[in-house]
Amino acid sequence: MTKVSVIGAGAVGATCADVISYRQLADEVVVLDIREGFAEGKALDIYQTSSLLDFKTSVVGSTNDYTKTANSDVVVITSGLPRKPGMTREELIGTNANIVKGVTENVLKHSPNAIIVVISNPMDTMTYLTLKTSGIDKHRIIGMGGLLDSARFKGYLGLALNAKTADISATVIGGHGDTTMIPLTRLAALNGVPVSQFLSADQLKQISADTMVGGATLTKLLGTSAWYAPGAAGALLVENIVRDQKRMMPCCVALDGEYGQKDICMGVPVVIGKNGWEKIVDYKLNAEEQEAFNKSADAVRNMNDVLATLGL
Ligand code: APR
């Protein structure tokens, strides 16, 4: 039996639970929130789509009762504040760090072997916090950001190329921040053909810039941060874990010398399977890309340093 718990039944958490449920990625999905009755409501609503969407996943809601999450194979953490227009992801750190730390402790009490997927922002720092405070093997902690940023990159490329996004391969690495992420334009391709054969340098520059502020653009339009793509990206990561697919995807993981960085969690291409992330793949960055990666690491490290000032 496969069991997945999603902590936080808000916009991102409920969307993630919804996709996991209707795509039958688990036998049981538990949604947990601190808001009284909220997760129960979301769970019941999702379950009531089962005859319409034809699935047989059990969907359970819980108001802060972690016993319901016991023995989960994967736990997705989405609890915490989302951005408001004009805010950066980094500004959320004070509130979200305490929430994520407390949630992780509760999760591991009842699911000591779970793989932890971190979505709460600032995601790179929340992943690092989980690594440092949980004491569990680094391979079991995966931040979702790069998958979402790459989906947005593929989306903008798809619009410019007038192509199906599934035919596009494109990767965003680095930090999950408006100024720290690195869309790898040089390596982006349409069915193996470099996108530079179809799009001008100016177009590619614009696509890269749009990708970097992809989340902020949506926050401005919506009044809060996005949820469909973040939730679906979380669910895709869960799929790769529970089905042991060994697919390669950009995720935020602990670096120990890879890509020239240590003691930091950042987005790099990794192979994902049932035990979490298995290995980091070296894309052999050119000098310019490596310099951008180093700069991104500096910014993520500055954010991580804030944890100490919060007593974490
Ligand atoms: N335990 C469980 N749930 C919590 C806790 C906690 N300690 N603290 C807050 N929550 C819940 C809230 O009650 C709320 O329902 O987390 C949920 C967050 O949902 P939303 O406010 O809708 O935020 P959402 O858009 O889902 O974003 C969640 O994901 O993408 C990131 O930046 C985003 O950090 C944010 C997170």
Side-chain angles (χ1 to χ4, degrees):
M1 199 197 87
T2 308
K3 179 168 174 177
V4 176
S5 292
V6 180
I7 312 300
V12 175
T15 305
C16 186
D18 184 36
V19 178
I20 293 169
S21 300
Y22 73 69
R23 297 201 55 215
Q24 302 193 86
L25 304 179
D27 301 294
E28 183 178 354
V29 177
V30 177
V31 195
L32 181 145
D33 203 284
I34 39 164
R35 251 174 88 182
E36 187 69 41
F38 191 59
E40 286 85 341
K42 290 287 178 115
L44 191 57
D45 193 13
I46 292 170
Y47 176 68
Q48 287 172 356
T49 67
S50 63
S51 67
L52 304 166
L53 299 176
D54 189 18
F55 66 84
K56 196 184 174 305
T57 310
S58 146
V59 194
V60 174
S62 162
T63 302
N64 223 22
D65 175 5
Y66 281 85
T67 60
K68 296 228 171 98
T69 67
N71 301 317
S72 294
D73 299 285
V74 186
V75 177
V76 184
I77 301 181
T78 76
S79 44
L81 294 188
R83 289 201 270 183
K84 292 275 167 256
M87 256 177 127
T88 64
R89 294 183 178 92
E90 288 75 7
E91 287 173 74
L92 300 168
I93 187 169
T95 314
N96 287 359
N98 283 299
I99 292 176
V100 169
K101 182 168 184 274
V103 163
T104 307
E105 284 164 7
N106 281 322
V107 160
L108 288 171
K109 256 183 233 158
H110 299 277
S111 302
N113 301 315
I115 310 294
I116 311 272
V117 170
V118 181
I119 298 187
S120 307
N121 274 311
M123 194 267 326
D124 306 290
T125 299
M126 294 303 110
T127 308
Y128 182 75
L129 172 72
T130 304
L131 176 77
K132 289 291 159 188
T133 57
S134 70
I136 64 172
D137 176 36
K138 65 180 179 183
H139 297 95
R140 287 171 48 202
I141 302 172
I142 311 172
M144 179 284 287
L147 205 50
L148 169 62
D149 299 332
S150 300
R152 288 182 172 148
F153 190 22
K154 289 178 199 175
Y156 284 116
L157 283 166
L159 291 174
L161 291 162
N162 193 21
K164 188 169 172 178
T165 47
D167 289 339
I168 297 170
S169 87
T171 305
V172 177
I173 59 168
H176 178 56
D178 298 350
T179 56
T180 60
M181 71 181 75
I182 306 159
L184 291 173
T185 305
R186 178 179 65 93
L187 302 177
L190 175 63
N191 278 338
V193 182
V195 291
S196 55
Q197 289 200 19
F198 308 110
L199 300 171
S200 69
D202 278 353
Q203 280 177 301
L204 289 172
K205 225 171 151 187
Q206 188 60 50
I207 288 167
S208 178
D210 289 343
T211 301
M212 293 176 78
V213 295
T217 301
L218 288 165
T219 303
K220 205 167 151 199
L221 291 168
L222 297 166
T224 183
S225 58
W227 56 89
Y228 292 116
L236 181 65
L237 196 43
V238 167
E239 177 176 10
N240 280 283
I241 298 165
V242 298
R243 297 201 172 147
D244 197 22
Q245 288 182 317
K246 320 272 193 215
R247 283 186 65 192
M248 189 167 74
M249 35 185 53
C251 294
C252 176
V253 300
L255 300 182
D256 188 20
E258 299 90 350
Y259 285 81
Q261 297 296 331
K262 263 187 175 166
D263 191 31
I264 194 164
C265 292
M266 277 177 76
V268 290
V270 289
V271 175
I272 304 277
K274 66 178 186 324
N275 299 316
W277 65 271
E278 296 185 354
K279 65 170 183 183
I280 295 173
V281 180
D282 185 0
Y283 270 13
K284 306 222 180 300
L285 303 183
N286 64 24
E288 194 187 331
E289 291 157 351
Q290 185 63 51
E291 195 191 320
F293 196 87
N294 295 345
K295 260 201 196 147
S296 180
D298 290 343
V300 171
R301 210 165 262 122
N302 283 342
M303 186 50 45
N304 292 349
D305 287 345
V306 177
L307 293 173
T309 68
L310 298 168
L312 293 165

